[in-house]
Amino acid sequence: MHRAVTAAVVLAPLLAVTLTPVTASATAGYKGANTAAVQDDFNGDGYRDLVVGAPFASNGSVEQAGAVVVLYGSASSVSTARRAVITQATSGIPGEPEEWDRFGTTVASADLDRDGYADLLVGTPNEAVGGSQDRGSVTVVWGGPSGLQGGASIAPPAGYGDGRTYCGFGMSLATGDMNADGAPEVGVGSHCEGASFIGPFTRTGKPASSYREGRVGDVRGVVMGDVNGDGKAERFWLPGPTTGDLRGPVFLDILDDVGQAPWPTKLPYADGHAGQIGDVNGDGYGDLITGIGDDDSDLNETGAAHRGGEVQVLYGGPQGITTDQRPKVFHQDTAGVPGTAEDGDEFGHSLSVGDVDADGYADVLVGSPGEAVGTRVYAGTAVLLRGSATGLTTTRAVGYSQNTAGVAGTAEAGDQFGAAVHLADLNKDGKAEAIVGTPGENSDGCLWSVRGSATGPVLSGSVNLCGKNAGITLANDTRGYFGAALTSPHVST
């Protein structure tokens, strides 16, 4: 449990410096940047790149303006030597660094303009816009042969959030091609209402069309992916805790043949605050995995997640995910799941789906940043659950903390190991690396990366990358928060 942690430990401020992006390999564009294998390939060299948000980064004396660090992938995975640090002070990026903006609270990617290079999406939900505090913004930074350069703002649809304040536009982001035209759509969550954007996008950030998703109210999470095998992504809106449903309802949203979205369908047995889609049972259909990190102790009410948090799985198929399906639920009281369920563990606060051992079944990495390690509150843990022909399983499940042999560092109160997690094949060996953010580590924040293998993650040779070495600088008594966001989902409030 973590209730003894003070807000100063959990929400420590951060300082970052803006750098000019390091020039990456100037090869011809890799055509297919919207495929899963190269979704995060910003420079077209065929290797996925790693995006790390530092939303509490300062810019000079401007506190919590926010920054995003991009580590370019290669045959030897990622390192801090090949990087770009992007802020609202970077040349070509719209806006300007302002106090408490928190640029980089959420990050995502897709080839929005169909030029063969993945583009970076950055959510800044605390940004003030037009005199409205915490209105929020979404920025796209364009990929190309020299990496990420230049950007544009993606404006909310007309009428978005009329008469409301503190919308937090950009608090969640998802991308997927819902009409199979090769141009991804973008879903954006906020406290006011969801927003949908139909691709392709122009270099001014203008989509082909957009509309407000007021039918489901405010949206904590949004998920996109193909769960019925028709080559078109479905979209799931996750409003988060609501009156009478603290576990969070799930709505299924599908574009029709003329690009319109009928009324979303509520999945009555599903719950979740954040989620991702991947094929955990290897049947060729995407499965929806959701996380609910908030339990009764977090919300001070009864009816939230299982004690300590949980994840749920709904399996896709020829009919997609239907209203009569009941999810498979995993928590730390489930036999075979490492750890013990305790108040405030936040199991499911972050999650990611990817195949760490190339067996054809996607695995699920689950972060528990509120988990105590011994007496060290909010030290954090991460748990890897394996995919199989029968679906997600606890067989060979493994847990990690900074007290695990082979993991860099030592578990300390407030580290928040697992605040963000990510599974992605960064060195193109066919096996996903497991990446775990530890934003409270030391003064700057770090992330831990371990390579995959035929037997799973190999701790020998794992690396720890920290904010100072990645271009984040600190001043006075401020702290870094490098590793707070990755392109896989985490709960942002």
Side-chain angles (χ1 to χ4, degrees), residues 265-339:
T265 299
K266 184 177 181 179
L267 302 178
Y269 303 113
D271 311 287
H273 299 167
Q276 196 170 42
I277 290 172
D279 185 6
V280 297
N281 60 2
D283 65 354
Y285 300 97
D287 308 310
L288 174 65
I289 296 90
T290 61
I292 316 168
D294 293 337
D295 62 13
D296 291 356
S297 70
D298 293 304
L299 299 178
N300 293 317
E301 295 187 56
T302 301
H306 183 89
R307 185 183 186 192
E310 65 184 73
V311 296
Q312 298 187 0
V313 184
L314 285 168
Y315 294 100
Q319 304 304 315
I321 292 174
T322 59
T323 57
D324 60 346
Q325 285 184 251
R326 294 182 180 270
K328 177 70 174 178
V329 179
F330 296 84
H331 44 69
Q332 289 182 300
D333 281 336
T334 300
V337 174

Side-chain angles (χ1 to χ4, degrees), residues 351-388:
L351 60 88
S352 187
V353 186
D355 189 354
V356 300
D357 52 10
D359 64 353
Y361 305 107
D363 310 302
V364 179
L365 184 62
V366 183
S368 304
E371 179 94 22
V373 177
T375 60
R376 299 167 181 85
V377 294
Y378 250 112
T381 62
V383 169
L384 181 68
L385 303 175
R386 301 300 186 96
S388 73

Side-chain angles (χ1 to χ4, degrees), residues 328-471:
K328 177 70 174 178
V329 179
F330 296 84
H331 44 69
Q332 289 182 300
D333 281 336
T334 300
V337 174
T340 301
E342 300 168 299
D343 288 349
D345 283 346
E346 297 184 351
F347 181 83
H349 171 90
S350 61
L351 60 88
S352 187
V353 186
D355 189 354
V356 300
D357 52 10
D359 64 353
Y361 305 107
D363 310 302
V364 179
L365 184 62
V366 183
S368 304
E371 179 94 22
V373 177
T375 60
R376 299 167 181 85
V377 294
Y378 250 112
T381 62
V383 169
L384 181 68
L385 303 175
R386 301 300 186 96
S388 73
T390 58
L392 198 62
T393 176
T394 61
T395 302
R396 296 188 299 147
V398 60
Y400 305 99
S401 78
Q402 288 188 293
N403 280 358
T404 301
V407 177
T410 301
E412 300 168 300
D415 280 349
Q416 296 180 74
F417 184 84
V421 297
H422 190 46
L423 295 175
D425 181 9
L426 303 174
N427 60 4
K428 211 165 62 173
D429 68 352
K431 308 171 189 69
E433 284 99 314
I435 300 103
V436 180
T438 314
E441 175 78 6
N442 299 329
S443 61
D444 50 349
C446 302
L447 60 84
W448 174 64
S449 177
V450 55
R451 65 183 176 87
S453 76
T455 58
V458 178
L459 300 191
S460 175
S462 65
V463 298
N464 209 46
L465 307 176
C466 296
K468 289 180 180 178
N469 290 335

